[in-house]
Every structure is written in structure tokens, then in C-alpha cells.
Amino acid sequence: DAGITQSPRHKVTETGTPVTLRCHQTENHRYMYWYRQDPGHGLRLIHYSYGVKDTDKGEVSDGYSVSRSKTEDFLLTLESATSSQTSVYFCAISKLGQPNTEAFFGQGTRLTVV
Amino acid sequence: GQQLNQSPQSMFIQEGEDVSMNCTSSSIFNTWLWYKQDPGEGPVLLIALYKAGELTSNGRLTAQFGITRKDSFLNISASIPSDVGIYFCAGQLRSGGSNYKLTFGKGTLLTVNP
């Protein structure tokens, strides 16, 4: 394993409630990503971070916010969960931009919004 | 945003057959990555490519970075049942300044019949 821990691994929540997913790394990588995976859509980037307090939007960022207050943690928050946000969420880390860089994934968080 | 077109979407093959899948883009990438995802798991990196024209093997897997830097392919020789899964390509490009972004194809679902 590449030293990435996602928590929780599974969560069921009600529509309208806030939800926070956590990604923790022990690799000291600069880049961290949040993706969602849905049938027929592959992996879609929600937000990513290129350093502490430095984040940017991905292609499906509406309804999501992120925070990175320290290198090892990247939090994804659904301010008011909706059923369309039922998905599997993956965190990834990378040293992108440097020679021989690779991106490594966590094991995913399955979120169900009822 | 940048898009990667991955094909085919799915493949059904007999054990022992060779497999080929590819990704194309309208953008130039400086890194190509190939991943495999097993059910219930996060994607796992198979092969990383860093130079145009580069051909890299990992056991029965061979991948190439296209000369134009806009495409890549992955070949699997003599397929076995454990090759079943979803295969993703990913491309890295500079998104501005010193920041980079990783974009994924939608995946190829491979089924191997024993």
C-alpha cells in the first residue's frame, strides 16, 4: 500500500446532512486528489490540492468543498448531501511534475445518500 | 476540460487471447499512466510512461507512449482469468505555472472467459 487511508470506508447519510470524508497520507506527497466513480463515467475529478491551503476545482466540483490544513490530510465536505452524490469516492496522492511520478489511490469510500 | 477517449469500453475474450486497448486525447500529455481496478478496490498502477515513443513492459503487459504525445496503448498478452477488471488510462499535463493535473479515461471493462 502507498500509505493512503480513507475514512470512513462506508457511510449512509440522509439527504440534506453535511458529510466529511477524510484522506490521510504518510508519503509527504504534494498533490492530493478527490475523485468520484460512477458507472459509465469512470473517475471524475472533484477537487485537488497542490499544497497546504492550495486547492483547485475539478470537473464536478459543484456541491463539494475541500480543505487542506496540513500536508497529510485532505478533507472533502458535502455541505448538504443529495442523492446524486451517492457514489464511491477515491482519494489519490502524487508527486506530479517531477521525474518518475506516479499517482496512488486509497481504497475508496462508498457513500450512500438516502 | 481535457478529455481522454479510452476504447474499447468493454471486451469479452477467451483465456489465452491477447488484448489491446488505447487512449487518445486532443491535448499533449507529458506522462501516461495505466491502472487496473479490481471490484471493491482502488485503482492500482500498472505501468508509467514518461517519454514520447517509450515502450515499457511489466510481465505480460506492454504499454507505449505515442510519438505525438496524444495517445497511448496497453497490450495484455496471453490473458488469464485474474486479468478481469477495469483498466484506466491517465494523462498528466501542466495546468498552469508549476501545477499539474491528472485526467482519467472512462475505463475498459475486461472479461476473460476461462
Side-chain angles (χ1 to χ4, degrees):
Chain A
D1 290 344
I4 309 170
T5 304
Q6 288 186 233
S7 59
R9 291 293 314 278
H10 303 272
K11 186 170 182 66
V12 179
T13 192
E14 293 185 349
T15 300
T17 60
V19 177
T20 295
L21 308 183
R22 181 183 184 232
C23 179
H24 178 78
Q25 62 150 327
T26 58
E27 305 296 318
N28 199 36
H29 282 3
R30 177 184 173 194
Y31 286 83
M32 298 185 76
Y33 300 79
W34 277 108
Y35 291 88
R36 61 177 289 174
Q37 186 174 30
D38 305 288
H41 292 278
L43 288 157
R44 293 184 291 174
L45 181 64
I46 305 171
H47 283 278
Y48 69 104
S49 169
Y50 46 93
V52 173
K53 298 192 190 308
D54 290 325
T55 64
D56 202 355
K57 295 179 180 180
E59 59 182 307
V60 289
S61 59
D62 288 348
Y64 301 94
S65 62
V66 289
S67 67
R68 191 163 178 204
S69 59
K70 43 186 178 177
T71 300
E72 57 266 36
D73 289 325
F74 192 33
L75 303 180
L76 176 71
T77 297
L78 291 65
E79 300 291 347
S80 178
T82 67
S83 58
S84 65
Q85 293 177 311
T86 292
S87 186
V88 181
Y89 292 85
F90 286 100
C91 172
I93 65 173
S94 177
K95 297 186 291 183
L96 286 188
Q98 302 175 16
N100 298 323
T101 62
E102 299 159 357
F104 300 96
F105 283 82
Q107 290 194 297
T109 295
R110 183 173 294 277
L111 176 67
T112 302
V113 183
V114 297
Chain B
Q2 295 80 18
Q3 281 193 329
L4 288 185
N5 298 309
Q6 185 171 351
S7 64
Q9 287 187 332
S10 62
M11 302 182 72
F12 296 85
I13 62 171
Q14 292 297 124
E15 183 177 358
E17 290 183 355
D18 297 344
V19 173
S20 183
M21 57 192 80
N22 69 83
C23 275
T24 61
S25 174
S26 57
S27 301
I28 292 175
F29 288 99
N30 52 28
T31 299
W32 283 95
L33 306 172
W34 284 93
Y35 289 84
K36 182 192 177 200
Q37 185 179 27
D38 292 324
E41 302 291 330
V44 174
L45 183 67
L46 298 174
I47 292 179
L49 303 160
Y50 299 102
K51 294 182 183 178
E54 180 181 357
L55 185 70
T56 298
S57 293
N58 178 5
R60 294 178 294 106
L61 278 61
T62 302
Q64 185 160 28
F65 193 143
I67 289 291
T68 65
R69 295 169 62 193
K70 294 183 178 181
D71 61 343
S72 177
F73 72 76
L74 174 71
N75 286 343
I76 304 172
S77 63
S79 59
I80 59 179
S82 62
D83 290 334
V84 166
I86 303 175
Y87 291 79
F88 291 99
C89 63
Q92 175 199 224
L93 71 159
R94 191 188 293 260
S95 64
S98 62
N99 299 326
Y100 293 79
K101 188 181 292 187
L102 196 61
T103 301
F104 281 82
K106 292 187 177 181
T108 295
L109 175 62
L110 178 64
T111 302
V112 180
N113 296 318

